[in-house]
Amino acid sequence: MSVKGRGGVGVGEMGSRNVVVSRNMALLLCFSSFFAGILFTNRIWTEPERTNVESEACDQKLLCFFYQAIAIDMPIIVFALIFCLYQKVGNHISNYSLGKISSAQNDISTLNSKISSIEMKLAAAKAEQQSLSSADAASGNLKRKYFMVIGINTAFSSRKRRDSVRATWMPQGEERKKLEEKGIVIRFVIGHSSTAGGILDKAIEAEEMKHGDFLRLEHVEGYLELSAKTKTYFRTAVALWDADFYIKVDDDVHVNLATLGTILAGHKKKPRVYVGCMKSGPVLSQKGVRYYEPEYWKFGEAGNKYFRHATGQLYAISKDLATYISVNQHILHKYVNEDVSLGSWFIGLDVEHVDDKRLCCGTPPDCEWKAHLGSTCAVSFDWKCSGICRSVERMMEVHKTCGEDVKALEHASF
């Protein structure tokens, strides 16, 4: 006999239905807990590593799920599949996280290595700077400012030319020291012979011991290497002396230093100044002739002229241009003619070309009558010889006839 409750439902039926509902609800809750656990684990796995508390929580969650499976009579195979899935997802997340941690550790190690390298370089640079400062202080060049540095381009075979310059417009001994105190540095500029330590180099060393007026360059002398020598000269001069102007002059021209200084002083406050006797001669394409240009084809059709540039007997450039050459020397193209090379280095830059004909006067009577007219020449030479013809014999004559007053340099202020 069946006992019925309210609504006519038997007690046995109600118990059976409650068990089914309870089992379904428990299964649903377990699956929900399982996937919520996976989602929660995935979200918190961004930490570098799990803590012990998190590990114990996951173990307890899995144990709870196992008891629930037993309570609802879940087939053991289903539990095994769910357990494998749970473990696989957990392992994937763990391996992914460990990979990220390992990658981060490698990045940190690389960054630390780079930082250490930079610190070592900074320390070395600081030590070098301190060494250079100490050397400058010892030599008296610390923060010393000069007005102009004059480099007289010379060769091993030009001993007599140098002596003619020393005997005329280039002060010697104490007078040269006083000139440097006034802000004017003058040096004969020469490199080394192809045979290091040979007789040519020893002759220059002996001459240097006697006069002390050379600037030796890290350069192998050669006529076709004048453009390279010019770059090396400016780089070396800028490194040694802080000056407003850097000048290159040949050893077979005559210079009036006070007049040259007065001309340059008028351009002292201008940036990027290129001062000289500007010209634009023909590009010579015929082999064997003097000043032949092997790269003539770069200048257009036959018969074309060069761009405007200063004649090579003497030119002056401001400090920023000399520094530009020093910094970029490895990419500045060298033409066979050094004055053309220098002019080409400034094409494309915002440079003021100053054309002053007092920097290219002729020898007597040209420079003589100009002096009488009150326009003293700064530089004198013969165009047909690209210098003073027979300069060794005639330098004194030009100096006596066209030289400025002996007191001019003493009274000059730059």
Side-chain angles (χ1 to χ4, degrees), residues 18-87:
N18 287 340
V19 169
V20 172
V21 171
S22 298
R23 289 182 178 179
N24 291 339
M25 184 63 69
L27 182 62
L28 179 61
L29 288 173
C30 282
F31 274 108
S32 300
S33 299
F34 171 69
F35 287 109
I38 292 176
L39 179 61
F40 179 75
T41 304
N42 188 38
R43 290 194 176 189
I44 68 171
W45 211 270
T46 56
E47 298 293 330
E49 58 183 1
R50 291 196 310 177
T51 63
N52 292 333
V53 174
E54 291 171 339
S55 179
E56 292 173 2
C58 288
D59 293 339
Q60 291 174 1
K61 186 187 297 181
L62 189 60
L63 186 62
C64 175
F65 186 73
F66 177 73
Y67 287 146
Q68 288 174 343
I70 294 175
I72 63 175
D73 293 333
M74 181 185 293
I76 195 65
I77 187 66
V78 174
F79 172 78
L81 289 173
I82 295 173
F83 175 76
C84 289
L85 176 62
Y86 184 90
Q87 190 175 38

Side-chain angles (χ1 to χ4, degrees), residues 56 77 126 157 174 190 208 290 298 329 363 394:
E56 292 173 2
I77 187 66
K126 185 177 180 180
S157 59
E174 290 299 319
I190 194 168
E208 167 67 8
R290 192 178 186 185
K298 289 185 177 180
Q329 59 171 330
T363 56
R394 296 184 59 230

Side-chain angles (χ1 to χ4, degrees), residues 32 72 81 84 161 172 178 182 196-197 200-201 256 262 273 336 343 367 377 393:
S32 300
I72 63 175
L81 289 173
C84 289
R161 284 187 178 184
Q172 295 296 295
K178 291 180 180 179
K182 198 175 183 68
L200 296 177
D201 289 309
N256 283 323
T262 301
V273 179
V336 69
C367 58
C377 293
E393 293 82 9

Side-chain angles (χ1 to χ4, degrees), residues 248-268:
K248 175 263 175 181
V249 58
D250 289 340
D251 62 3
D252 59 350
V253 304
H254 183 270
V255 179
N256 283 323
L257 293 173
T259 304
L260 175 62
T262 301
I263 292 173
L264 295 179
H267 307 288
K268 187 175 180 179

Side-chain angles (χ1 to χ4, degrees), residues 188-205:
F188 287 106
V189 179
I190 194 168
H192 298 271
S193 66
S194 56
T195 306
I199 188 172
L200 296 177
D201 289 309
K202 289 181 178 179
I204 293 296
E205 290 168 6

Side-chain angles (χ1 to χ4, degrees), residues 213-233:
D213 54 6
F214 278 95
L215 172 60
R216 301 299 299 274
L217 305 177
E218 289 300 322
H219 168 79
V220 177
E221 289 290 325
Y223 178 75
L224 296 179
E225 298 299 326
L226 289 178
S227 293
K229 183 177 182 179
T230 300
K231 286 200 292 187
T232 305
Y233 159 62

